[in-house]
Amino acid sequence: MKRIAFAAVAVLAGAFAATASPAAVAAPEPSADLLAAMQRDLGLTAGQAADRLRQESAAAVLQHVARGLAGDDFGGAWFDAATGKLVVGVTDEAKSQRLRRLGAEPRTVANSAGDLDSAKAKLDAEKAPAEVTGWFVDTRANVVTVTAKRGQAQAAQAFAAKAGALAKVVETDEAPRLLKDIRGGDAYYINNAGRCSVGFAVQGGFVTAGHCGSSGDSVAGADRTALGAFEGSSFPGNDYGWVKANSSWTPTAKVNHYGGADVVVSGSTEAAVGASICRSGSTTGWHCGTVSAKNQTVNYQEGSVSGLTRTDVCAEPGDSGGSWVSGTQAQGVTSGGSGNCTSGGTTYFQPVNEILSAYNLTLVTG
């Protein structure tokens, strides 16, 4: 059985190596506005931004093939912007040559992704002290990183120790909070009071952050006319929900670019760690950065949320629930973060594919 399974992976890997190129798996041509935002926030030229999007599109496909080939020896993967390649951690050096033939850059690591996820799961099962701001699998460092408030590392050590030797404590100036202080989403109102941002349209409504509303809460659109109601909501633990719209509203594949042409979502292929990513929210508009880590648990004052993606993109209160895209691929909805768009910050999003799966929803694409 194992031999048959490996043969199947080998055939898939060979097909990918023979046919896949940045052009072959590239998303639809990005708009000039998207390229301009990447130039502004990532310090790229227009040509560099276009090349990077093509490389990241190829990496997004390659990471899944590499995971299948490496099997239990898979140690995580991330996009290296300097080389334009996907770096794949592997605990068995013997598999490095196969990964290299796929176009990946193999790196021998001590811990498998499975072991790191298991170590993080131990922390997820515990109640974190107030000194701890979050924890995540740090793919590049091949450890579980526990972030603690500045000067509070020692107080966080006992919590980190529950994950064993695979965890390390890092002090941070971050003070994560939910971005709902002034509900300022891409224009929808909850119970005729707070506002949050629309995430992505789905058949029958849209997805957004769970902390924005509870099941049954009424929702009005930007023009204050009735839009629908929260059909489902999960927070804390998760931070996702969806709003079922009435017949007066038509879901579209568009994401507000703020000052530029709308971005039309074409799918929801998950971007790799290190890939560029952009966020849309009505408080601060459109901002870009990179994916720092996946499967982060954030210990908000209201409770911990697991499975979030960590980014170096800025956001501010009122951006909650808004859209995250990589190229034209939907990535997630804004949960919370720290900092602001003047000095910079860290922001987390709930991956969109998990939301679609949880509620059996279909993303609207164009």
Side-chain angles (χ1 to χ4, degrees), residues 76-310:
W78 63 95
F79 177 74
D80 185 347
T83 63
K85 289 188 174 183
L86 183 75
V87 182
V88 179
V90 62
T91 58
D92 182 0
E93 190 174 0
K95 294 182 178 179
S96 294
Q97 191 57 37
R98 296 191 187 103
L99 290 167
R100 189 171 283 110
R101 284 199 296 268
L102 284 178
E105 184 64 37
R107 181 170 299 174
T108 304
V109 296
N111 306 306
S112 71
D115 288 340
L116 292 171
D117 287 340
S118 295
K120 179 183 175 292
K122 294 178 181 178
L123 299 181
D124 290 342
E126 301 289 336
K127 181 173 177 59
E131 293 82 4
V132 172
T133 63
W135 53 97
F136 62 95
V137 173
D138 190 336
T139 306
R140 292 185 179 93
N142 196 231
V143 297
V144 176
T145 294
V146 177
T147 54
K149 295 176 182 177
R150 186 68 60 190
Q152 301 296 319
Q154 186 173 355
Q157 288 291 352
F159 175 75
K162 298 180 186 299
L166 276 63
K168 71 171 183 178
V169 176
V170 175
E171 292 188 354
T172 178
D173 292 321
E174 298 173 9
R177 69 197 188 286
L178 294 176
L179 300 174
K180 68 166 189 175
D181 300 343
I182 302 172
R183 311 286 188 135
D186 192 7
Y188 76 91
Y189 296 81
I190 306 94
N191 293 331
N192 203 33
R195 287 195 299 158
C196 270
S197 302
V198 172
F200 296 98
V202 296
Q203 295 295 337
F206 64 86
V207 295
T208 187
H211 73 260
C212 287
S214 301
S215 296
D217 284 350
S218 65
V219 173
D223 61 358
R224 294 284 190 168
T225 63
L227 191 159
F230 270 84
E231 185 74 7
S233 178
S234 178
F235 175 82
N238 303 299
D239 195 3
Y240 54 64
W242 83 283
V243 171
K244 185 175 183 180
N246 61 40
S247 59
S248 298
W249 294 80
T250 302
T252 75
K254 297 177 181 178
V255 172
N256 191 343
H257 188 278
Y258 287 94
D262 290 336
V263 173
V264 178
V265 172
S266 61
S268 59
T269 300
E270 183 180 340
V273 170
S276 62
I277 195 163
C278 297
R279 176 193 60 73
S280 178
S282 64
T283 298
T284 57
W286 184 268
H287 287 272
C288 299
T290 59
V291 177
S292 305
K294 299 180 181 181
N295 194 22
Q296 159 125 19
T297 299
V298 175
N299 193 31
Y300 294 121
Q301 182 178 357
E302 294 83 355
S304 295
V305 176
S306 298
L308 300 180
T309 296
R310 177 189 181 94

